[in-house]
Amino acid sequence: MNNTTVVLTAKRLFDGTRLIDDPVVLVEDGRIASIATLASGAMSTGARVLDFPGATLAPSFFDIHIHGAAGHDVMEAKPESLAAVEKFLASRGTGSFLATTVTAPLDATLCAVDGLAKMIARPKADGAARLLGIHLEGPFLSHERRGVQPAEYLLAPNIATFDRLFEAGQGHVRLMTLAPELPGAGELTAHATKRGVRVSLGHSNAKAAETRSAIAAGAVSATHTFNAMRPLDHREPGILGTVLTDDSLYSELICDGIHSEPEIARLWWRAKGPHRAILVTDAMSAAGMPDGEYRLGGFSVQVANGRATRDGVLAGSVLTLDRALANFLAFTGAYVDQALRLLATNPATMLGLGDEAGFLTPGRTADLVAVTSEGKLMTSLVDGVPVFGLHA
């Protein structure tokens, strides 16, 4: 833990709510002590000053859909595996994340969820991202739109099965992807919502009416929009048309230029806007690693030239959120302060975790990023200590 006093200065600061020009952030013992401006004369004498000229300071990124990195899959659920993932993510600006499962034999998923819950309860290592919960991507998904999710382990929505997974997670299951057209999906959506789990619609061949029913039952988001979804049709808008036009629904996008083209990123941005769009990576264990063969849950994935595939089908990504930010700005022309919401504030707000991530206020842990106007990561700080950039 950092026991020194540090002052952070930059051109601007986005605190999750507003932009502040010429900010002065005082960090004491790894926490934000105050946020002021140069004009207020708030500089602390004798403190170490970290200046980021021309940059915007913001809350560290929050990846709500990530399967692994640095050669490790989160379903390994081992301390050394999670430690490697957490260190890597922090070095790329991601301060918080949800460990995301893939469809596997139910017993294997229960074991992984139980192990991940134990990892959440342990003390966080210095310079590491925070594991804030679990995202269940499966097993309640569509066979028609399963992507690489193993067909033999997909299950019909079932409250008893969900409750087993929820109890294994010891209250740490925060998000669940579900196909709304499956029998029992509405009942499970309502049940999960009552238990505090956010439901995200995805891996789905749903029609528009089926999607609207799930939203009425409590669904709040959409998983990797466009991918593993019924295509848009002008006579049957389907899940995609509903996701893009429902202003209440949050929506994920994998902005790597592989899962969707830049024109689609622009369409998505115009449809969802700065308060409902969420950038995710869907990264698997190959993120941060050279080309080769890697694991995603219980199966092998081949990675070549930035593409992760299984039998020719996309199988997650090797994307990092700092890269997603730069891509998004290049693809859409959005301003960096608008885009920063998509990586920090929106995911935290959607999950009801705004007290733990996505915002900068006095008293919070000093987990910040400094980025250029083009979205390039200059520095990532955890507990007020640089883990990337400067002399990290």
Side-chain angles (χ1 to χ4, degrees):
M1 181 62 68
N2 176 30
N3 292 313
T4 61
T5 300
V6 179
V7 170
L8 311 177
T9 59
K11 180 179 180 181
R12 297 184 305 177
L13 178 142
F14 174 66
D15 67 2
T17 302
R18 60 188 176 130
L19 272 175
I20 300 171
D21 291 329
D22 300 318
V24 177
V25 182
L26 178 63
V27 177
E28 295 179 341
D29 297 334
R31 292 189 174 274
I32 298 172
S34 65
I35 299 175
T37 65
L38 280 174
S40 69
M43 290 292 288
S44 175
T45 59
R48 180 189 180 197
V49 178
L50 302 181
D51 183 35
F52 304 97
T56 299
L57 293 172
S60 291
F61 310 144
F62 185 4
D63 197 345
I64 64 171
H65 191 154
I66 178 168
H67 300 280
H72 294 278
D73 189 284
V74 299
M75 290 185 74
E76 296 170 28
K78 297 176 181 178
E80 60 272 21
S81 301
L82 265 295
V85 172
E86 290 164 347
K87 288 281 188 179
F88 173 78
L89 292 181
S91 75
R92 306 315 306 158
T94 295
S96 306
F97 70 107
L98 296 186
T100 306
T101 65
V102 293
T103 302
L106 182 58
D107 285 346
T109 304
L110 287 165
C111 183
V113 170
D114 177 76
L116 289 168
K118 290 181 171 65
M119 295 301 101
I120 293 170
R122 81 198 192 287
K124 186 190 75 68
D126 290 343
R130 290 173 169 79
L131 175 56
L132 290 188
I134 300 164
H135 174 179
L136 300 174
E137 191 180 15
F140 310 122
L141 309 177
S142 161
H143 280 264
E144 291 86 354
R145 302 292 173 185
R146 65 183 177 86
V148 296
Q149 305 270 344
E152 62 270 31
Y153 303 128
L154 294 175
L155 299 174
N158 180 277
I159 288 175
T161 301
F162 166 81
D163 281 345
R164 290 181 67 190
L165 290 162
F166 182 84
E167 297 301 332
Q170 302 171 40
H172 295 296
V173 175
R174 301 289 190 177
L175 183 66
M176 176 176 64
T177 295
L178 177 148
E181 74 273 21
L182 300 179
E187 293 84 352
L188 180 53
T189 296
H191 177 78
T193 300
K194 287 180 181 178
R195 301 211 72 173
V197 176
R198 303 302 198 261
V199 173
S200 185
L201 306 177
H203 282 279
S204 169
N205 202 39
K207 294 181 179 179
E210 295 165 326
T211 308
R212 288 194 293 268
S213 292
I215 296 169
V220 297
S221 190
T223 297
H224 47 48
T225 307
F226 301 102
N227 298 114
M229 281 186 176
R230 182 189 191 98
L232 183 66
D233 183 274
H234 65 292
R235 297 192 187 279
E236 172 47 74
I239 181 173
L240 183 53
T242 307
V243 168
L244 293 175
T245 57
D246 189 313
D247 292 339
S248 72
L249 204 70
Y250 288 88
S251 171
E252 298 177 2
L253 185 76
I254 307 168
C255 196
D256 60 358
I258 295 172
H259 280 76
S260 55
E261 293 296 315
E263 291 87 351
I264 295 300
R266 290 197 288 275
L267 172 65
W268 174 78
W269 174 234
R270 292 176 185 178
K272 301 312 299 182
H275 295 282
R276 288 293 181 268
I278 296 175
L279 291 175
V280 298
T281 64
D282 197 12
M284 43 86 67
S285 58
M289 302 295 288
D291 287 354
E293 183 173 299
Y294 297 89
R295 303 296 292 178
L296 175 57
F299 52 86
S300 296
V301 171
Q302 287 68 47
V303 178
N305 301 317
R307 297 175 67 93
T309 60
R310 184 189 186 207
D311 300 327
V313 179
L314 286 173
S317 83
V318 296
L319 185 65
T320 55
L321 279 182
D322 62 314
R323 186 68 250 170
L325 173 62
N327 287 343
F328 180 75
L329 295 180
F331 294 170
T332 66
Y335 294 113
V336 67
D337 55 278
Q338 293 176 313
L340 287 166
R341 295 190 62 92
L342 281 57
L343 297 96
T345 309
N346 289 355
T349 302
M350 184 272 287
L351 290 168
L353 294 175
D355 289 340
E356 299 187 58
F359 295 86
L360 299 176
T361 56
R364 286 177 179 261
T365 302
D367 293 348
L368 301 94
V369 293
V371 299
T372 69
S373 59
E374 295 80 27
K376 181 181 178 181
L377 182 66
M378 294 176 65
T379 301
S380 174
L381 301 104
V382 175
D383 300 320
V385 178
V387 296
F388 170 79
L390 292 176
H391 302 291

